[in-house]
Amino acid sequence: METLKGTVDHIIFHNDKNGYTVADFDVDGQMVTVVGNFEELKEGEFLKLTGFWKEHQSYGEQFQIESYALDLPTSEEGVIRYLSSGLLPGIGEKTAIEIVNHFGTDTLDILDNHPDRLSEVHGIGKKTLDKIKEVYSEQKEIRDVMIQIQEYGISSTYAMKLYKTYQSDTVRVLLDNPYQIIKDVRGIGFKIADQIAAQLGFESQNPKRILSGISFCLQDCYARGNTYMTEKDLIEYSAGILGVPKEDIEFQLQELALRGDVRLEFIDDEPAYYPSALFEAEDNAALSMVRLAGAVFETQTVDIPAMIAAYEEDMSIRLDNRQAEAIETAIENGIAIITGGPGTGKTTIINGIVYIFKRLGMKTVLAAPTGRAAKRITETTGEPAKTIHRLLEYDYSGDDDFPSFNRNEENPLEVDAIILDEASMIDIVLLNSLLEAIKPGTRLILVGDADQLPSVGPGNVLQDLIESNVVKVVRLDRIYRQSEESMISINAHAINEGMMPEINNQSDFMFIRTMDPDKVLDTILDLVAWRIPEKKGFDAMKDIQVISPIKKGKLGVISLNKELQEVLNPAADYKKEKTLGTVVFREGDKVMQIKNNYKLKWEDIHGFETGEGVYNGDIGNITRIDEYNKTFEILLTDDKKVVYEFDQLDELTHAYAMTVHKSQGSEFPVVIMPMVGGPPMFLNRKLLYTAVTRAKKMLMLIGPQNYFYRMVKSGDTNERRTALKQRIKMYGELNV
């Protein structure tokens, strides 16, 4: 490791989300390019950098920082550069030279302890002096606090985060309870706080540490999709993470329950603990569902069969009895669930419900959990659809686990009916937010495939609602979307039943068998880049989607994206690039938005409209990288042009390949998926079924057939711990 000291001369690039920065540093008059993570950086700051030199392929020699700290220059030349850097108002290079000529190496001591003496220097009047004193005092406080924090071994990145939150109280808060920072400072979790606490001398059995550690372990519910943990599991898990006796965990659990931070419940006669917010979401959702299910609408004056017949005549279709029942159920009940696999006519039913509601003069809205799912329902029905976040008017709260909405109990949605597609993707928190915004008398129709993967967030909403036997459910089991040559829908249903499907490589459902991961990779690259486009006429970028069950490894999404980028969009002199960490974004790249950004502006390339909002899952291509304006332009698949700032790069990822979870709510003409080995907890029938049902015209599975067989025969071994079903039954029996 080497150490450099210098002044921040120019910030070339800074990402506010992850702190990644490229900057020019003035080190004793020599300009050095520095790269690394800085929480906050200002031109003119004097820093001590620790790191190593590396050679960048395009940009030459760079200094990669490992850590940094605020410092002060010691030479007269360094002080002059520091003062004239623009950090202090009214001091340019000429004035800085005069100050240093007057005070010499005592200049910074004068600024610290006798700032009024600056008036001795020609050109510094009272107004300028007052401004210098104000700004320098602020800089001195930051520097003093940062130096104190870093003396405890806290990294500069976290030191700046802490200072921005607590200012002059930073050290006091840390010494009193370092675990407080988990709640107060975004981006700092238990593990980081625990490291800081250890550096501050906190003992492993300190009650504050145990209380915080239990809460951290209970937050595992969010990662695993559960809404609670059994007492036994929580105690064992916490004791293992914290390295303390179980008796200490049991004692502090009672304290957390008394404080209201966790909720103790008995589920199937077994004690269990909820994070309080998840308990409230699940309990409120159950109560709301029972009340919706209890609403029965008087429809004697409505001739439903006649309206269904009119819909059939207008659309030149014929519904079967189950499809007609689904439409009737949606019209007659406060809440209805319509579930079925691919090709069973769910879109036809949605269209029928909308058709009849319109004739009844009812205001109906369509929604879906993600932007891609909302776009797809718009394309298939011809009716406008919104994301649930957009429908509820997301309020930019900054809390990803518990978003805030403008639509709620006090300001409900002014609609008569809500049709929610891809309902298997909705988690318990979002469901509760939606239910809070539904006023009495509104119908809610949930449409989805209960056999797909559940939501990424906590809960198993659609399955729990169906199994509660309180909500009206219509199951569609007859396949319509197929022809004699099509096997995708037929085989998807076979997989869902745990049966090995018929595989005929002359159909649209194909399996290429190979045991060698290198051959799997080579085959995927060959199929995407050449064989399928040349022989079948599909566009490699627009029509073909690689889906992988895993993120890491040779056949994981990260590696596949890199390999596919090289064959589909290789580097060229005429293509500009921008690097974020180890990822290279290049003009022409296929990319995907990975978080909802409701403020990001877009314009239609045809000049028809403009608007705001780019959603998690939206896909497009980088059409232009503008180094001068530090922007890049993306054309989304729905012909919307979006201009991003360089510091928004972390909202994007390459989309040549994506995980099965990310593919939910979408359909693609061609899907290619590698077969990989792994535990049934992650690689099971439900995941395979979800991947297969993403393909519309062609599906290609590549790899060992025994992996495919294991997934088909593996049930969902990762059953989620939720109690929505039990709560709905309980409130139903109480007739609330």
Side-chain angles (χ1 to χ4, degrees), residues 154 162 165-166 169-185 188-190 192-194 196-198 200-203 206-213 215 256 259 261:
I154 299 170
L162 293 168
T165 302
Y166 301 116
D169 286 334
T170 303
V171 176
R172 180 188 60 77
V173 171
L174 288 176
L175 293 177
D176 178 57
N177 182 10
Y179 298 98
Q180 179 66 31
I181 67 178
I182 299 170
K183 293 182 179 179
D184 296 342
V185 184
I188 292 185
F190 174 77
I192 294 169
D194 202 36
I196 291 173
L200 294 171
F202 272 63
E203 296 181 353
N206 186 296
K208 292 175 180 176
R209 176 176 185 264
I210 296 174
L211 287 169
S212 182
S215 296
L256 281 172
R259 286 175 11 183
D261 291 347

mmCIF file of all heavy atoms in Angstrom, residues 154 162 165-166 169-185 188-190 192-194 196-198 200-203 206-213 215 256 259 261:
data_model
loop_
_atom_site.group_PDB
_atom_site.id
_atom_site.type_symbol
_atom_site.label_atom_id
_atom_site.label_comp_id
_atom_site.label_asym_id
_atom_site.label_seq_id
_atom_site.Cartn_x
_atom_site.Cartn_y
_atom_site.Cartn_z
ATOM 1 N N ILE A 154 -12.658 3.656 12.261
ATOM 2 C CA ILE A 154 -13.830 3.691 11.389
ATOM 3 C C ILE A 154 -13.409 4.237 10.034
ATOM 4 O O ILE A 154 -12.733 5.261 9.951
ATOM 5 C CB ILE A 154 -14.943 4.564 12.008
ATOM 6 C CG1 ILE A 154 -15.375 3.965 13.356
ATOM 7 C CG2 ILE A 154 -16.136 4.689 11.075
ATOM 8 C CD1 ILE A 154 -16.281 4.872 14.157
ATOM 9 N N LEU A 162 -21.733 9.096 8.927
ATOM 10 C CA LEU A 162 -22.099 9.393 10.314
ATOM 11 C C LEU A 162 -22.115 10.894 10.561
ATOM 12 O O LEU A 162 -23.038 11.421 11.202
ATOM 13 C CB LEU A 162 -21.108 8.707 11.263
ATOM 14 C CG LEU A 162 -21.155 7.175 11.265
ATOM 15 C CD1 LEU A 162 -19.946 6.608 12.004
ATOM 16 C CD2 LEU A 162 -22.439 6.675 11.906
ATOM 17 N N THR A 165 -25.133 12.671 9.304
ATOM 18 C CA THR A 165 -26.344 12.422 10.086
ATOM 19 C C THR A 165 -26.319 13.151 11.419
ATOM 20 O O THR A 165 -27.312 13.777 11.825
ATOM 21 C CB THR A 165 -26.514 10.906 10.333
ATOM 22 O OG1 THR A 165 -26.571 10.228 9.076
ATOM 23 C CG2 THR A 165 -27.795 10.625 11.126
ATOM 24 N N TYR A 166 -25.180 13.080 12.132
ATOM 25 C CA TYR A 166 -25.142 13.565 13.517
ATOM 26 C C TYR A 166 -24.366 14.866 13.714
ATOM 27 O O TYR A 166 -24.438 15.465 14.798
ATOM 28 C CB TYR A 166 -24.541 12.491 14.425
ATOM 29 C CG TYR A 166 -25.293 11.184 14.425
ATOM 30 C CD1 TYR A 166 -24.709 10.019 13.953
ATOM 31 C CD2 TYR A 166 -26.595 11.116 14.913
ATOM 32 C CE1 TYR A 166 -25.388 8.814 13.956
ATOM 33 C CE2 TYR A 166 -27.287 9.910 14.928
ATOM 34 C CZ TYR A 166 -26.674 8.763 14.443
ATOM 35 O OH TYR A 166 -27.359 7.578 14.454
ATOM 36 N N ASP A 169 -22.554 15.939 17.040
ATOM 37 C CA ASP A 169 -22.927 14.916 18.032
ATOM 38 C C ASP A 169 -22.426 13.530 17.658
ATOM 39 O O ASP A 169 -22.727 12.553 18.358
ATOM 40 C CB ASP A 169 -24.456 14.861 18.180
ATOM 41 C CG ASP A 169 -25.005 16.043 18.961
ATOM 42 O OD1 ASP A 169 -24.250 16.601 19.778
ATOM 43 O OD2 ASP A 169 -26.182 16.389 18.762
ATOM 44 N N THR A 170 -21.682 13.412 16.586
ATOM 45 C CA THR A 170 -21.303 12.097 16.066
ATOM 46 C C THR A 170 -20.593 11.241 17.107
ATOM 47 O O THR A 170 -20.993 10.095 17.364
ATOM 48 C CB THR A 170 -20.395 12.246 14.825
ATOM 49 O OG1 THR A 170 -21.076 13.022 13.844
ATOM 50 C CG2 THR A 170 -20.046 10.888 14.242
ATOM 51 N N VAL A 171 -19.563 11.771 17.716
ATOM 52 C CA VAL A 171 -18.781 10.983 18.680
ATOM 53 C C VAL A 171 -19.634 10.615 19.884
ATOM 54 O O VAL A 171 -19.581 9.480 20.385
ATOM 55 C CB VAL A 171 -17.517 11.756 19.110
ATOM 56 C CG1 VAL A 171 -16.765 10.984 20.191
ATOM 57 C CG2 VAL A 171 -16.608 11.996 17.906
ATOM 58 N N ARG A 172 -20.460 11.547 20.356
ATOM 59 C CA ARG A 172 -21.317 11.273 21.522
ATOM 60 C C ARG A 172 -22.272 10.114 21.236
ATOM 61 O O ARG A 172 -22.438 9.209 22.062
ATOM 62 C CB ARG A 172 -22.133 12.516 21.885
ATOM 63 C CG ARG A 172 -23.054 12.309 23.100
ATOM 64 C CD ARG A 172 -23.987 13.465 23.317
ATOM 65 N NE ARG A 172 -24.854 13.702 22.171
ATOM 66 C CZ ARG A 172 -25.934 12.946 21.896
ATOM 67 N NH1 ARG A 172 -26.243 11.911 22.658
ATOM 68 N NH2 ARG A 172 -26.672 13.228 20.854
ATOM 69 N N VAL A 173 -22.895 10.115 20.051
ATOM 70 C CA VAL A 173 -23.833 9.047 19.694
ATOM 71 C C VAL A 173 -23.107 7.706 19.631
ATOM 72 O O VAL A 173 -23.598 6.693 20.153
ATOM 73 C CB VAL A 173 -24.512 9.346 18.344
ATOM 74 C CG1 VAL A 173 -25.309 8.144 17.852
ATOM 75 C CG2 VAL A 173 -25.427 10.561 18.461
ATOM 76 N N LEU A 174 -21.938 7.687 19.020
ATOM 77 C CA LEU A 174 -21.193 6.431 18.887
ATOM 78 C C LEU A 174 -20.799 5.859 20.241
ATOM 79 O O LEU A 174 -20.907 4.651 20.473
ATOM 80 C CB LEU A 174 -19.945 6.655 18.027
ATOM 81 C CG LEU A 174 -20.182 6.860 16.523
ATOM 82 C CD1 LEU A 174 -18.874 7.163 15.825
ATOM 83 C CD2 LEU A 174 -20.840 5.639 15.903
ATOM 84 N N LEU A 175 -20.340 6.704 21.128
ATOM 85 C CA LEU A 175 -19.900 6.213 22.441
ATOM 86 C C LEU A 175 -21.076 5.772 23.297
ATOM 87 O O LEU A 175 -20.951 4.877 24.133
ATOM 88 C CB LEU A 175 -19.100 7.303 23.161
ATOM 89 C CG LEU A 175 -17.753 7.666 22.516
ATOM 90 C CD1 LEU A 175 -17.099 8.810 23.272
ATOM 91 C CD2 LEU A 175 -16.827 6.450 22.467
ATOM 92 N N ASP A 176 -22.246 6.405 23.083
ATOM 93 C CA ASP A 176 -23.427 6.042 23.867
ATOM 94 C C ASP A 176 -24.051 4.745 23.375
ATOM 95 O O ASP A 176 -24.322 3.834 24.160
ATOM 96 C CB ASP A 176 -24.459 7.173 23.804
ATOM 97 C CG ASP A 176 -25.725 6.820 24.569
ATOM 98 O OD1 ASP A 176 -25.618 6.515 25.773
ATOM 99 O OD2 ASP A 176 -26.814 6.848 23.961
ATOM 100 N N ASN A 177 -24.314 4.645 22.049
ATOM 101 C CA ASN A 177 -24.932 3.444 21.491
ATOM 102 C C ASN A 177 -24.662 3.373 19.994
ATOM 103 O O ASN A 177 -25.411 3.900 19.184
ATOM 104 C CB ASN A 177 -26.445 3.447 21.728
ATOM 105 C CG ASN A 177 -27.105 2.176 21.186
ATOM 106 O OD1 ASN A 177 -26.433 1.227 20.796
ATOM 107 N ND2 ASN A 177 -28.428 2.182 21.150
ATOM 108 N N PRO A 178 -23.572 2.715 19.603
ATOM 109 C CA PRO A 178 -23.237 2.642 18.176
ATOM 110 C C PRO A 178 -24.294 1.923 17.342
ATOM 111 O O PRO A 178 -24.333 2.082 16.125
ATOM 112 C CB PRO A 178 -21.903 1.885 18.162
ATOM 113 C CG PRO A 178 -21.861 1.146 19.456
ATOM 114 C CD PRO A 178 -22.599 1.987 20.445
ATOM 115 N N TYR A 179 -25.153 1.139 17.994
ATOM 116 C CA TYR A 179 -26.191 0.413 17.253
ATOM 117 C C TYR A 179 -27.350 1.321 16.846
ATOM 118 O O TYR A 179 -28.181 0.935 16.017
ATOM 119 C CB TYR A 179 -26.685 -0.775 18.078
ATOM 120 C CG TYR A 179 -25.575 -1.762 18.343
ATOM 121 C CD1 TYR A 179 -24.872 -1.750 19.555
ATOM 122 C CD2 TYR A 179 -25.179 -2.674 17.359
ATOM 123 C CE1 TYR A 179 -23.821 -2.622 19.783
ATOM 124 C CE2 TYR A 179 -24.127 -3.555 17.581
ATOM 125 C CZ TYR A 179 -23.446 -3.522 18.791
ATOM 126 O OH TYR A 179 -22.409 -4.376 19.001
ATOM 127 N N GLN A 180 -27.372 2.531 17.393
ATOM 128 C CA GLN A 180 -28.387 3.496 17.002
ATOM 129 C C GLN A 180 -28.238 3.878 15.521
ATOM 130 O O GLN A 180 -29.213 4.229 14.849
ATOM 131 C CB GLN A 180 -28.267 4.761 17.874
ATOM 132 C CG GLN A 180 -29.263 5.863 17.552
ATOM 133 C CD GLN A 180 -30.695 5.469 17.855
ATOM 134 O OE1 GLN A 180 -30.939 4.686 18.769
ATOM 135 N NE2 GLN A 180 -31.628 5.987 17.080
ATOM 136 N N ILE A 181 -27.019 3.779 15.021
ATOM 137 C CA ILE A 181 -26.781 4.210 13.644
ATOM 138 C C ILE A 181 -27.500 3.325 12.634
ATOM 139 O O ILE A 181 -27.738 3.751 11.497
ATOM 140 C CB ILE A 181 -25.272 4.265 13.325
ATOM 141 C CG1 ILE A 181 -24.640 2.871 13.335
ATOM 142 C CG2 ILE A 181 -24.551 5.180 14.303
ATOM 143 C CD1 ILE A 181 -23.159 2.873 12.985
ATOM 144 N N ILE A 182 -27.879 2.114 13.012
ATOM 145 C CA ILE A 182 -28.598 1.220 12.090
ATOM 146 C C ILE A 182 -29.930 1.851 11.690
ATOM 147 O O ILE A 182 -30.338 1.811 10.526
ATOM 148 C CB ILE A 182 -28.836 -0.162 12.740
ATOM 149 C CG1 ILE A 182 -27.500 -0.823 13.086
ATOM 150 C CG2 ILE A 182 -29.655 -1.059 11.823
ATOM 151 C CD1 ILE A 182 -27.634 -2.061 13.943
ATOM 152 N N LYS A 183 -30.618 2.459 12.649
ATOM 153 C CA LYS A 183 -31.910 3.088 12.375
ATOM 154 C C LYS A 183 -31.757 4.444 11.700
ATOM 155 O O LYS A 183 -32.596 4.843 10.897
ATOM 156 C CB LYS A 183 -32.705 3.264 13.679
ATOM 157 C CG LYS A 183 -33.151 1.979 14.328
ATOM 158 C CD LYS A 183 -33.966 2.272 15.589
ATOM 159 C CE LYS A 183 -34.450 0.978 16.237
ATOM 160 N NZ LYS A 183 -35.234 1.247 17.479
ATOM 161 N N ASP A 184 -30.686 5.142 12.041
ATOM 162 C CA ASP A 184 -30.573 6.545 11.628
ATOM 163 C C ASP A 184 -29.818 6.761 10.320
ATOM 164 O O ASP A 184 -30.066 7.753 9.624
ATOM 165 C CB ASP A 184 -29.855 7.359 12.720
ATOM 166 C CG ASP A 184 -30.639 7.395 14.021
ATOM 167 O OD1 ASP A 184 -31.852 7.115 13.996
ATOM 168 O OD2 ASP A 184 -30.022 7.695 15.058
ATOM 169 N N VAL A 185 -28.891 5.864 9.984
ATOM 170 C CA VAL A 185 -27.999 6.103 8.851
ATOM 171 C C VAL A 185 -28.279 5.085 7.748
ATOM 172 O O VAL A 185 -28.054 3.885 7.930
ATOM 173 C CB VAL A 185 -26.516 6.025 9.270
ATOM 174 C CG1 VAL A 185 -25.613 6.386 8.095
ATOM 175 C CG2 VAL A 185 -26.243 6.943 10.453
ATOM 176 N N ILE A 188 -26.151 1.590 6.525
ATOM 177 C CA ILE A 188 -25.369 0.932 7.578
ATOM 178 C C ILE A 188 -26.261 -0.080 8.287
ATOM 179 O O ILE A 188 -27.307 0.272 8.835
ATOM 180 C CB ILE A 188 -24.801 1.949 8.587
ATOM 181 C CG1 ILE A 188 -23.745 2.825 7.909
ATOM 182 C CG2 ILE A 188 -24.206 1.239 9.793
ATOM 183 C CD1 ILE A 188 -23.030 3.775 8.845
ATOM 184 N N GLY A 189 -25.856 -1.328 8.240
ATOM 185 C CA GLY A 189 -26.614 -2.394 8.885
ATOM 186 C C GLY A 189 -25.922 -2.894 10.134
ATOM 187 O O GLY A 189 -24.931 -2.318 10.607
ATOM 188 N N PHE A 190 -26.426 -4.008 10.656
ATOM 189 C CA PHE A 190 -25.919 -4.518 11.929
ATOM 190 C C PHE A 190 -24.438 -4.888 11.854
ATOM 191 O O PHE A 190 -23.668 -4.599 12.777
ATOM 192 C CB PHE A 190 -26.734 -5.725 12.379
ATOM 193 C CG PHE A 190 -26.178 -6.380 13.621
ATOM 194 C CD1 PHE A 190 -26.387 -5.816 14.866
ATOM 195 C CD2 PHE A 190 -25.411 -7.543 13.537
ATOM 196 C CE1 PHE A 190 -25.853 -6.395 16.009
ATOM 197 C CE2 PHE A 190 -24.885 -8.131 14.674
ATOM 198 C CZ PHE A 190 -25.101 -7.556 15.917
ATOM 199 N N ILE A 192 -21.924 -3.799 10.073
ATOM 200 C CA ILE A 192 -21.018 -2.647 10.105
ATOM 201 C C ILE A 192 -21.054 -1.992 11.482
ATOM 202 O O ILE A 192 -20.015 -1.652 12.062
ATOM 203 C CB ILE A 192 -21.400 -1.637 9.012
ATOM 204 C CG1 ILE A 192 -21.160 -2.264 7.637
ATOM 205 C CG2 ILE A 192 -20.601 -0.346 9.158
ATOM 206 C CD1 ILE A 192 -21.747 -1.471 6.491
ATOM 207 N N ALA A 193 -22.277 -1.812 12.017
ATOM 208 C CA ALA A 193 -22.409 -1.211 13.353
ATOM 209 C C ALA A 193 -21.700 -2.061 14.398
ATOM 210 O O ALA A 193 -21.081 -1.528 15.337
ATOM 211 C CB ALA A 193 -23.881 -1.044 13.712
ATOM 212 N N ASP A 194 -21.761 -3.378 14.248
ATOM 213 C CA ASP A 194 -21.122 -4.277 15.206
ATOM 214 C C ASP A 194 -19.602 -4.152 15.143
ATOM 215 O O ASP A 194 -18.910 -4.204 16.163
ATOM 216 C CB ASP A 194 -21.564 -5.712 14.926
ATOM 217 C CG ASP A 194 -21.409 -6.612 16.146
ATOM 218 O OD1 ASP A 194 -21.625 -6.129 17.282
ATOM 219 O OD2 ASP A 194 -21.086 -7.804 15.967
ATOM 220 N N ILE A 196 -17.996 -1.416 14.257
ATOM 221 C CA ILE A 196 -17.695 -0.127 14.879
ATOM 222 C C ILE A 196 -17.765 -0.246 16.397
ATOM 223 O O ILE A 196 -16.899 0.270 17.126
ATOM 224 C CB ILE A 196 -18.672 0.949 14.364
ATOM 225 C CG1 ILE A 196 -18.392 1.242 12.884
ATOM 226 C CG2 ILE A 196 -18.565 2.228 15.192
ATOM 227 C CD1 ILE A 196 -19.401 2.161 12.236
ATOM 228 N N ALA A 197 -18.800 -0.945 16.887
ATOM 229 C CA ALA A 197 -18.959 -1.112 18.336
ATOM 230 C C ALA A 197 -17.766 -1.846 18.935
ATOM 231 O O ALA A 197 -17.280 -1.491 20.017
ATOM 232 C CB ALA A 197 -20.255 -1.867 18.636
ATOM 233 N N ALA A 198 -17.277 -2.868 18.233
ATOM 234 C CA ALA A 198 -16.116 -3.616 18.729
ATOM 235 C C ALA A 198 -14.886 -2.710 18.798
ATOM 236 O O ALA A 198 -14.104 -2.777 19.755
ATOM 237 C CB ALA A 198 -15.852 -4.817 17.817
ATOM 238 N N LEU A 200 -14.945 0.367 19.345
ATOM 239 C CA LEU A 200 -15.177 1.297 20.451
ATOM 240 C C LEU A 200 -15.107 0.609 21.813
ATOM 241 O O LEU A 200 -15.272 1.268 22.847
ATOM 242 C CB LEU A 200 -16.542 1.975 20.285
ATOM 243 C CG LEU A 200 -16.685 2.910 19.078
ATOM 244 C CD1 LEU A 200 -18.137 3.334 18.906
ATOM 245 C CD2 LEU A 200 -15.796 4.137 19.246
ATOM 246 N N GLY A 201 -14.926 -0.702 21.822
ATOM 247 C CA GLY A 201 -14.765 -1.420 23.080
ATOM 248 C C GLY A 201 -16.029 -2.018 23.660
ATOM 249 O O GLY A 201 -16.041 -2.458 24.815
ATOM 250 N N PHE A 202 -17.113 -2.092 22.897
ATOM 251 C CA PHE A 202 -18.342 -2.711 23.396
ATOM 252 C C PHE A 202 -18.149 -4.219 23.534
ATOM 253 O O PHE A 202 -17.645 -4.875 22.620
ATOM 254 C CB PHE A 202 -19.511 -2.426 22.450
ATOM 255 C CG PHE A 202 -20.236 -1.141 22.756
ATOM 256 C CD1 PHE A 202 -19.592 0.076 22.673
ATOM 257 C CD2 PHE A 202 -21.567 -1.157 23.147
ATOM 258 C CE1 PHE A 202 -20.242 1.260 22.952
ATOM 259 C CE2 PHE A 202 -22.239 0.018 23.433
ATOM 260 C CZ PHE A 202 -21.582 1.231 23.343
ATOM 261 N N GLU A 203 -18.593 -4.786 24.642
ATOM 262 C CA GLU A 203 -18.442 -6.224 24.883
ATOM 263 C C GLU A 203 -19.534 -7.001 24.157
ATOM 264 O O GLU A 203 -20.615 -6.474 23.878
ATOM 265 C CB GLU A 203 -18.493 -6.517 26.385
ATOM 266 C CG GLU A 203 -17.333 -5.891 27.156
ATOM 267 C CD GLU A 203 -17.404 -6.212 28.647
ATOM 268 O OE1 GLU A 203 -18.423 -6.802 29.068
ATOM 269 O OE2 GLU A 203 -16.453 -5.870 29.364
ATOM 270 N N ASN A 206 -23.045 -7.074 25.699
ATOM 271 C CA ASN A 206 -23.693 -5.804 25.996
ATOM 272 C C ASN A 206 -25.160 -5.878 25.565
ATOM 273 O O ASN A 206 -25.459 -6.262 24.433
ATOM 274 C CB ASN A 206 -22.987 -4.676 25.236
ATOM 275 C CG ASN A 206 -23.504 -3.302 25.613
ATOM 276 O OD1 ASN A 206 -24.662 -2.980 25.372
ATOM 277 N ND2 ASN A 206 -22.640 -2.481 26.201
ATOM 278 N N PRO A 207 -26.111 -5.521 26.444
ATOM 279 C CA PRO A 207 -27.546 -5.621 26.103
ATOM 280 C C PRO A 207 -27.910 -4.876 24.823
ATOM 281 O O PRO A 207 -28.765 -5.334 24.057
ATOM 282 C CB PRO A 207 -28.246 -5.010 27.321
ATOM 283 C CG PRO A 207 -27.283 -5.212 28.447
ATOM 284 C CD PRO A 207 -25.925 -5.082 27.840
ATOM 285 N N LYS A 208 -27.283 -3.725 24.588
ATOM 286 C CA LYS A 208 -27.597 -2.967 23.373
ATOM 287 C C LYS A 208 -27.200 -3.761 22.126
ATOM 288 O O LYS A 208 -27.889 -3.712 21.104
ATOM 289 C CB LYS A 208 -26.886 -1.612 23.393
ATOM 290 C CG LYS A 208 -27.420 -0.672 24.464
ATOM 291 C CD LYS A 208 -26.621 0.620 24.530
ATOM 292 C CE LYS A 208 -27.178 1.544 25.624
ATOM 293 N NZ LYS A 208 -26.380 2.780 25.783
ATOM 294 N N ARG A 209 -26.100 -4.486 22.220
ATOM 295 C CA ARG A 209 -25.670 -5.307 21.087
ATOM 296 C C ARG A 209 -26.644 -6.459 20.864
ATOM 297 O O ARG A 209 -27.029 -6.754 19.721
ATOM 298 C CB ARG A 209 -24.272 -5.857 21.347
ATOM 299 C CG ARG A 209 -23.785 -6.798 20.245
ATOM 300 C CD ARG A 209 -22.351 -7.263 20.457
ATOM 301 N NE ARG A 209 -21.892 -8.047 19.338
ATOM 302 C CZ ARG A 209 -21.911 -9.378 19.274
ATOM 303 N NH1 ARG A 209 -22.349 -10.089 20.327
ATOM 304 N NH2 ARG A 209 -21.496 -10.011 18.198
ATOM 305 N N ILE A 210 -27.072 -7.111 21.941
ATOM 306 C CA ILE A 210 -27.970 -8.258 21.797
ATOM 307 C C ILE A 210 -29.329 -7.826 21.252
ATOM 308 O O ILE A 210 -29.892 -8.470 20.363
ATOM 309 C CB ILE A 210 -28.122 -8.986 23.151
ATOM 310 C CG1 ILE A 210 -26.767 -9.566 23.580
ATOM 311 C CG2 ILE A 210 -29.159 -10.102 23.046
ATOM 312 C CD1 ILE A 210 -26.760 -10.175 24.965
ATOM 313 N N LEU A 211 -29.849 -6.719 21.768
ATOM 314 C CA LEU A 211 -31.132 -6.214 21.269
ATOM 315 C C LEU A 211 -31.059 -5.921 19.774
ATOM 316 O O LEU A 211 -31.955 -6.295 19.003
ATOM 317 C CB LEU A 211 -31.529 -4.942 22.026
ATOM 318 C CG LEU A 211 -31.994 -5.110 23.474
ATOM 319 C CD1 LEU A 211 -32.083 -3.757 24.162
ATOM 320 C CD2 LEU A 211 -33.354 -5.800 23.515
ATOM 321 N N SER A 212 -29.997 -5.262 19.359
ATOM 322 C CA SER A 212 -29.836 -4.925 17.957
ATOM 323 C C SER A 212 -29.623 -6.178 17.109
ATOM 324 O O SER A 212 -30.147 -6.287 15.993
ATOM 325 C CB SER A 212 -28.654 -3.969 17.788
ATOM 326 O OG SER A 212 -28.501 -3.601 16.445
ATOM 327 N N GLY A 213 -28.864 -7.134 17.634
ATOM 328 C CA GLY A 213 -28.590 -8.369 16.905
ATOM 329 C C GLY A 213 -29.837 -9.201 16.677
ATOM 330 O O GLY A 213 -30.032 -9.776 15.597
ATOM 331 N N SER A 215 -32.899 -8.037 16.451
ATOM 332 C CA SER A 215 -33.668 -7.326 15.423
ATOM 333 C C SER A 215 -33.094 -7.592 14.037
ATOM 334 O O SER A 215 -33.835 -7.787 13.068
ATOM 335 C CB SER A 215 -33.668 -5.822 15.703
ATOM 336 O OG SER A 215 -34.325 -5.529 16.920
ATOM 337 N N LEU A 256 -37.556 -6.592 23.888
ATOM 338 C CA LEU A 256 -37.969 -6.099 22.571
ATOM 339 C C LEU A 256 -39.487 -6.144 22.415
ATOM 340 O O LEU A 256 -40.095 -5.235 21.830
ATOM 341 C CB LEU A 256 -37.314 -6.934 21.468
ATOM 342 C CG LEU A 256 -35.852 -6.627 21.138
ATOM 343 C CD1 LEU A 256 -35.307 -7.663 20.171
ATOM 344 C CD2 LEU A 256 -35.709 -5.237 20.537
ATOM 345 N N ARG A 259 -41.059 -3.325 24.360
ATOM 346 C CA ARG A 259 -40.857 -2.041 23.681
ATOM 347 C C ARG A 259 -41.693 -1.908 22.417
ATOM 348 O O ARG A 259 -41.813 -0.822 21.845
ATOM 349 C CB ARG A 259 -39.376 -1.868 23.318
ATOM 350 C CG ARG A 259 -38.521 -1.561 24.527
ATOM 351 C CD ARG A 259 -37.030 -1.491 24.293
ATOM 352 N NE ARG A 259 -36.544 -1.466 22.927
ATOM 353 C CZ ARG A 259 -35.251 -1.454 22.618
ATOM 354 N NH1 ARG A 259 -34.338 -1.461 23.594
ATOM 355 N NH2 ARG A 259 -34.861 -1.432 21.379
ATOM 356 N N ASP A 261 -40.973 -3.423 19.560
ATOM 357 C CA ASP A 261 -40.144 -3.575 18.361
ATOM 358 C C ASP A 261 -40.420 -4.893 17.642
ATOM 359 O O ASP A 261 -40.195 -5.013 16.436
ATOM 360 C CB ASP A 261 -38.655 -3.501 18.724
ATOM 361 C CG ASP A 261 -38.251 -2.102 19.165
ATOM 362 O OD1 ASP A 261 -39.047 -1.171 18.951
ATOM 363 O OD2 ASP A 261 -37.150 -1.941 19.719
#
